[in-house]
Amino acid sequence: MPANDKTALILTVGTGRSDDLEGSLYKPLQKSIDDGNWNKIVLLPSRKTEPYAQELKQRQKSLDVEIAPLPSDDEENDVDACFAHFDAVLQALERQGLAPANICVDFTRGTKAMSAALALAAIRHDVPRMRYVEGDRDPSGQNNVIPGTERVRTVATAIATASRQLDQARAFLESGDFAAVLRSLPDPQCAAAGQWPEKLTPQLEAARAYAAFYGAWDRLNYSAAAAEADKLPEPAPNGWEKFAPSTAQLDWVRELAKDSPKKDRKPLPEGQAPAMADRARRLMVDLLANGRRRIRHEQLEDANLRAYRIAEMLGQTRLFDKGLDSSCLDSEHPAVRKLQEKLEESSGAPLSVVERAGKRCLAAAREQTFRLLKILGDRFWEKLKDIGTDVDKRNHSILIHGFDFLDIRAQELQATYNHLERLLREDLQDAAEAWLATPHFQNRFFRRSEPCAGGRP
């Protein structure tokens, strides 16, 4: 139901002093009720104090009063039971259209368990105000409040509510749901407008900055990630240090943010083959980490596509090492001409004729690429041939040519990724250890589910 402008005050109801119910219970509660303009009053008694709530209701001549007692005896001493009940009461008010901003809770009376539970429930529902009736204490009367000295103190829950939002954002970061961080936290402009506690503004800005940086990186938008890297806090606020990327990771993203020599699918410029090979290797390593994140999130179709691209790029990269571009091959190159002849002799699909930036050339598919490597004497071609059965399911994916769900298991994909990683290690040689570790940022802070006592997750 859409929110309306109605207001509500929720109060716990305790026992008061049996020798002075009027002064110790009814008057303080009435003082809180009279302090405000309410459309609805909700009384939360225990089973024991429900008669007192009924009496208080009778005294309200023009107010809508609802009594919502705890369901069972002795629950007033069970914080969890109290929380469950008060939480349900707040949910019911929200279904009636009352906005949290128009609700106030008074946790003065009742047991300590009831007071704590109501405060927790209010914070869960983003209730911005709570109140407590205080007063002068009588040192000779067990430090009780002196009747007639009661004062209503209203306090904001801004810090508690903001802290809860930050905890939620931290959990989203830890699980890799970067977009959810940005959805769940207000824009820092809200802090500037006084709608966010000033003392928590550094944490707000940090959480959003980390989410924007890792989110862009995870989407393979390296230029956006590099731009977001310049906005990261330095140093990280206390408690957020584990989300700060390393210098190597920042350098990695900035390197990938540079324009490719083959930008806009143009032919490989003269003398740019080494730079293109270096870029392709970085992309493969980054895709490997990215694909493992897809597996973690059960996005198996996406993970399989990334595996195929790595396998395809491995062959392309080995050709770059030899100054050749598989997307634009010179038909007069001896090895290319020999491959085309072999394909024609075997009645296989010939190299495709394409036009790149006005230049007519030939393009090799993944299998044709490793056959060309064989002709060039690169022994790596055999390893590329072997990976084909692991990644070719990609062609049956709904995202490519298929019409049905791709029946693939996470464990199967993990084995494929392990195979690809071994090939990358062999191809990268001395650079392998440092490069492969850099883009796996999730290893530092991704939350892992813990098994329950029975051993099942």
Side-chain angles (χ1 to χ4, degrees):
M1 179 182 293
N4 54 48
D5 294 330
K6 291 185 177 180
T7 59
L9 175 65
I10 306 173
L11 308 95
T12 49
V13 179
T15 58
R17 285 169 37 205
S18 59
D19 62 338
D20 185 16
L21 285 176
E22 192 66 34
S24 66
L25 181 65
Y26 294 129
K27 283 187 176 179
L29 287 170
Q30 190 64 52
K31 192 175 189 71
S32 185
I33 292 171
D34 292 341
D35 185 13
N37 184 21
W38 315 109
N39 299 109
K40 189 180 187 70
I41 302 296
V42 181
L43 302 175
L44 303 175
S46 65
R47 284 297 184 186
K48 184 186 299 184
T49 62
E50 187 175 0
Y52 304 148
Q54 293 289 353
E55 169 62 24
L56 190 62
K57 179 178 181 179
Q58 294 301 318
R59 299 185 181 198
Q60 314 309 312
K61 303 302 182 185
S62 60
L63 287 175
D64 176 16
V65 180
E66 175 186 340
I67 299 176
L70 291 167
S72 303
D73 293 339
D74 201 40
E75 283 191 336
E76 64 269 23
N77 297 310
D78 185 333
V79 174
D80 206 38
C82 290
F83 174 84
H85 178 63
F86 300 158
D87 182 63
V89 169
L90 283 164
Q91 288 183 43
L93 289 175
E94 290 171 1
R95 287 195 297 271
Q96 294 169 25
L98 274 88
N102 293 334
I103 297 174
C104 183
V105 302
D106 185 329
F107 57 89
T108 310
R109 303 302 173 195
T111 63
K112 289 182 173 62
M114 292 170 67
S115 296
L118 183 56
L120 288 171
I123 290 171
R124 186 194 181 204
H125 286 266
D126 292 329
V127 173
R129 292 168 299 143
M130 291 191 281
R131 60 172 44 175
Y132 179 80
V133 179
E134 61 177 0
D136 298 337
R137 298 285 176 173
D138 182 1
S140 64
Q142 297 181 335
N143 206 33
N144 291 326
V145 172
I146 300 173
T149 67
E150 295 89 351
R151 297 176 295 273
V152 177
R153 177 186 289 269
T154 300
V155 295
T157 62
I159 293 177
T161 299
S163 296
R164 179 183 58 78
Q165 288 180 269
L166 287 170
D167 288 343
Q168 184 182 53
R170 181 190 297 274
F172 285 141
L173 273 173
E174 290 174 340
S175 64
D177 194 345
F178 308 115
V181 176
L182 299 174
R183 289 195 303 268
S184 66
L185 290 177
D187 190 279
Q189 290 182 354
C190 294
Q195 299 173 25
W196 180 271
E198 184 178 353
K199 66 183 298 183
L200 294 180
T201 297
Q203 290 89 331
L204 170 66
E205 294 174 343
R208 291 185 61 90
Y210 291 135
F213 170 70
Y214 288 116
W217 187 358
D218 194 53
R219 295 192 307 274
L220 311 177
N221 190 342
Y222 304 116
S223 59
E228 295 296 342
D230 295 333
K231 305 174 188 177
L232 294 174
E234 184 61 43
N238 186 37
W240 294 81
E241 295 87 354
K242 70 177 180 178
F243 298 109
S246 66
T247 300
Q249 289 171 327
L250 294 173
D251 291 344
W252 179 268
V253 168
R254 286 168 177 145
E255 186 65 34
L256 284 173
K258 297 176 181 178
D259 284 345
S260 162
K262 280 178 57 60
K263 188 178 181 181
D264 301 325
R265 295 175 60 82
K266 63 186 178 183
L268 188 64
E270 186 73 26
Q272 288 296 305
M276 194 61 222
D278 180 85
R279 178 177 179 81
R281 287 186 166 94
R282 289 178 183 273
L283 286 172
M284 287 189 290
V285 169
D286 204 73
L287 280 177
L288 187 80
N290 191 288
R292 290 197 188 278
R293 291 194 291 275
R294 303 284 83 74
I295 296 173
R296 184 190 294 273
H297 291 295
E298 295 292 320
Q299 297 169 355
L300 303 186
E301 295 259 2
D302 288 340
N304 194 61
L305 293 182
R306 286 156 173 75
Y308 183 94
R309 182 66 183 115
I310 295 168
E312 180 180 51
M313 212 183 303
L314 271 165
Q316 294 172 326
T317 304
R318 303 292 289 200
L319 284 181
F320 288 139
D321 286 337
K322 295 168 175 54
L324 297 176
D325 177 1
S326 66
S327 70
C328 191
L329 295 166
D330 182 358
S331 60
E332 297 304 314
H333 189 285
V336 174
R337 190 168 59 248
K338 185 174 182 180
L339 173 61
Q340 190 75 305
E341 291 171 356
K342 284 181 173 291
L343 291 171
E344 291 170 354
E345 289 172 4
S346 62
S347 301
L351 297 170
S352 302
V353 179
V354 295
E355 187 171 305
R356 298 279 188 258
K359 179 180 178 181
R360 189 177 178 84
C361 50
L362 300 175
R366 187 180 67 82
E367 291 188 9
Q368 294 169 336
T369 296
F370 67 67
R371 291 186 66 175
L372 182 56
L373 287 171
K374 180 182 180 182
I375 293 171
L376 291 165
D378 188 334
R379 298 290 299 274
F380 210 75
W381 80 270
E382 296 180 80
K383 299 178 175 63
L384 298 178
K385 175 174 64 70
D386 292 340
I387 196 66
T389 55
D390 287 348
V391 299
D392 282 341
K393 282 187 178 181
R394 156 263 195 195
N395 291 319
H396 305 293
S397 167
I398 293 174
L399 301 178
I400 303 296
H401 304 303
F403 296 93
D404 297 295
F405 169 72
L406 185 63
D407 187 17
I408 191 167
R409 303 289 186 271
Q411 186 175 4
E412 180 182 348
L413 271 175
Q414 289 285 17
T416 297
Y417 271 77
N418 291 341
H419 188 173
L420 289 170
E421 182 172 334
R422 288 192 294 271
L423 292 179
L424 283 170
R425 285 184 180 278
E426 184 174 343
D427 177 69
L428 292 167
Q429 298 181 0
D430 292 343
E433 202 62 41
W435 278 32
L436 287 166
T438 299
H440 282 284
F441 56 79
Q442 80 276 21
N443 290 347
R444 293 190 297 111
F445 58 79
F446 266 31
R447 173 175 289 183
R448 293 167 174 80
S449 58
E450 298 295 334
C452 66
R456 296 173 62 86

